[in-house]
Amino acid sequence: MKNKYSVFVHVGAGSHSLSNFSTYKSVMENACKAAIKALEEGSSSSAAVTIAIKILEDDPVTNAGIGSNLTRSGTVECDASIMCSKTGAFGAVGSVSAIKNPICAAKSIMDNESLGQQEIGLIYPMLLVGKGGEIWAKNNNIECTDDKSYHITVLFILNASSKTELVDNGLLQDTVGAICLDRYGDISSGVSSGGIALKYEGRVGEAAIYKAGCWAQKFYDSDQIKVVGASVTGTGEQIIRSSVAENYSTQVASNIDLPINQLQKLLLQFLDDPMLQKYSKKNVGIILMINNEIKDGAITELLAGHTTDTMGYGYMSNNMIHPKVMSLFSIY
Ligand code: GLY
């Protein structure tokens, strides 16, 4: 057993309201502390990620779970996913409304997906959308609600025209996520989102899509093992095109350049991507955790970057008494 464990969380990339800073800070601190406690007690990285994201979903200040952005018809439809480096398993729900904590349903799908198939040969799913996700949740004792207003906290501002108005109402911030390294050297990553504001009903964003919203993988080099996790936020339609979570994890893990330099290059490429030139703003944010296993121990690196005005993130590891939450207002 290894004795290092860490958590890295984010409350999305976008344009966060300054007035909510202390709330973002305290929810990230609570998520970090709860995940570290679980890891201390020997929980797996995927269980700890689920605990952290559940706290982020339950706080109305974030665009995930309670407080999610609304669709054009004023409903909430959530996406969430989780992946574990130990098994390579992935689980996701898309466009679900009745599940209190979408990350719990994603985790349950992932746990089954890691088995591959049932005895009679039926393949376990990776992603369930809408009613299918809700039926899975009910059948697997994941808490659901019939109250259609359960996740709704903001007024629907269809005619909002000024950015200030959207920011002040929490409509221009995004997706939450977490990455955990456990005592056994495994990393899991997860993500949960209410999606973009005023989205079309049935629209699914990167938070539910394999390779786009989260990634966790073990890379073997000649003399080294690297375990990498990523959790992504931004505009789903832009992120899905280039499989950001998997693509950035692979490039950061395998490039000879310093990881931070490689990440900066990737973000600049995102801004210059010819396929994205039709968009006036290109929005992506990412947190990455790299655990480099070397002969006598391990070195854990944390990276974050974004192309948006703001992104909030925080972290904690076994040797810290308090979590550290970074400013929402650094520029990539
Ligand atoms: N990042 C949230 C979405 O685009 O769905």
Side-chain angles (χ1 to χ4, degrees):
M1 185 186 290
K2 297 161 187 173
N3 274 324
K4 285 185 67 166
Y5 43 94
S6 317
V7 54
F8 197 10
V9 299
H10 71 82
V11 289
S15 296
H16 295 77
S17 168
L18 261 175
S19 58
N20 284 336
F21 179 69
S22 62
T23 320
Y24 291 124
K25 186 169 181 288
S26 70
V27 68
M28 283 191 275
E29 286 174 348
N30 291 341
C32 286
K33 285 187 208 158
I36 284 292
K37 182 169 181 291
L39 293 165
E40 166 71 34
E41 289 164 358
S43 284
S44 66
S45 56
S46 60
V49 160
T50 307
I51 288 168
I53 293 183
K54 190 167 182 286
I55 289 173
L56 299 171
E57 286 178 340
D58 282 343
D59 197 302
V61 78
T62 63
N63 171 25
I66 296 173
S68 283
N69 281 337
L70 303 183
T71 64
R72 288 162 15 123
S73 58
T75 55
V76 162
E77 296 181 358
C78 299
D79 302 330
S81 59
I82 183 166
M83 183 169 182
C84 174
S85 73
K86 185 177 178 187
T87 56
F90 174 87
V93 285
S95 200
V96 292
S97 302
I99 303 173
K100 286 192 175 177
N101 290 100
I103 193 65
C104 295
K107 164 84 162 52
S108 153
I109 291 171
M110 183 192 79
D111 288 343
N112 283 277
E113 201 273 329
S114 71
L115 306 173
Q117 60 186 41
Q118 301 170 35
E119 277 167 20
I120 52 167
L122 278 182
I123 302 290
Y124 280 116
M126 284 170 75
L127 162 65
L128 291 171
V129 297
K131 278 273 163 279
E134 294 164 7
I135 291 167
W136 174 283
K138 282 178 192 148
N139 289 342
N140 286 278
N141 300 319
I142 310 289
E143 231 184 317
C144 291
T145 175
D146 291 330
D147 177 1
K148 294 203 174 351
S149 64
Y150 178 80
H151 296 104
I152 297 179
T153 56
V154 288
L155 288 175
F156 192 44
I157 308 169
L158 186 57
N159 296 320
S161 55
S162 88
K163 184 172 169 183
T164 314
E165 194 180 354
L166 289 166
V167 170
D168 286 348
N169 286 285
L171 292 176
L172 287 184
Q173 42 89 17
D174 199 52
T175 309
V176 303
I179 309 173
C180 289
L181 165 70
D182 63 30
R183 286 167 169 274
Y184 318 102
D186 298 310
I187 283 182
S188 292
S189 307
V191 65
S192 179
S193 183
I196 50 176
L198 309 181
K199 66 185 182 181
Y200 284 82
E201 295 78 19
R203 176 263 188 197
V204 172
E206 86 287 357
I209 301 296
Y210 185 64
K211 298 188 176 192
C214 67
W215 194 251
Q217 188 175 357
K218 195 175 264 200
F219 294 88
Y220 297 90
D221 210 340
S222 50
D223 55 350
Q224 205 185 342
I225 296 175
K226 275 187 197 184
V227 192
V228 180
S231 179
V232 176
T233 156
T235 302
E237 283 68 10
Q238 300 171 6
I239 292 166
I240 291 166
R241 286 174 182 279
S242 45
S243 302
V244 167
E246 184 262 351
N247 184 9
Y248 287 26
S249 298
T250 308
Q251 296 213 39
V252 163
S254 53
N255 207 282
I256 47 167
D257 210 348
L258 280 180
I260 193 66
N261 293 346
Q262 185 59 24
L263 177 58
Q264 191 167 27
K265 271 190 217 158
L266 290 163
L267 293 174
L268 291 170
Q269 276 169 21
F270 186 88
L271 290 173
D272 283 340
D273 187 339
M275 284 200 298
L276 303 184
Q277 294 317 309
K278 60 191 174 197
Y279 297 107
S280 57
K281 288 202 77 180
K282 290 139 204 119
N283 303 313
V284 69
I286 184 166
I287 59 171
L288 285 143
M289 183 186 285
I290 309 171
N291 195 46
N292 302 281
E293 292 184 16
I294 46 178
K295 210 165 165 225
D296 300 320
I299 297 170
T300 310
E301 295 172 275
L302 305 180
L303 309 175
H306 54 101
T307 65
T308 50
D309 294 341
T310 62
M311 180 166 174
Y313 45 91
Y315 63 91
M316 188 168 182
S317 58
N318 55 294
N319 54 6
M320 291 167 66
I321 295 167
H322 298 293
K324 175 105 180 130
V325 170
M326 307 305 285
S327 157
L328 289 163
F329 303 100
S330 55
I331 298 297
Y332 60 95

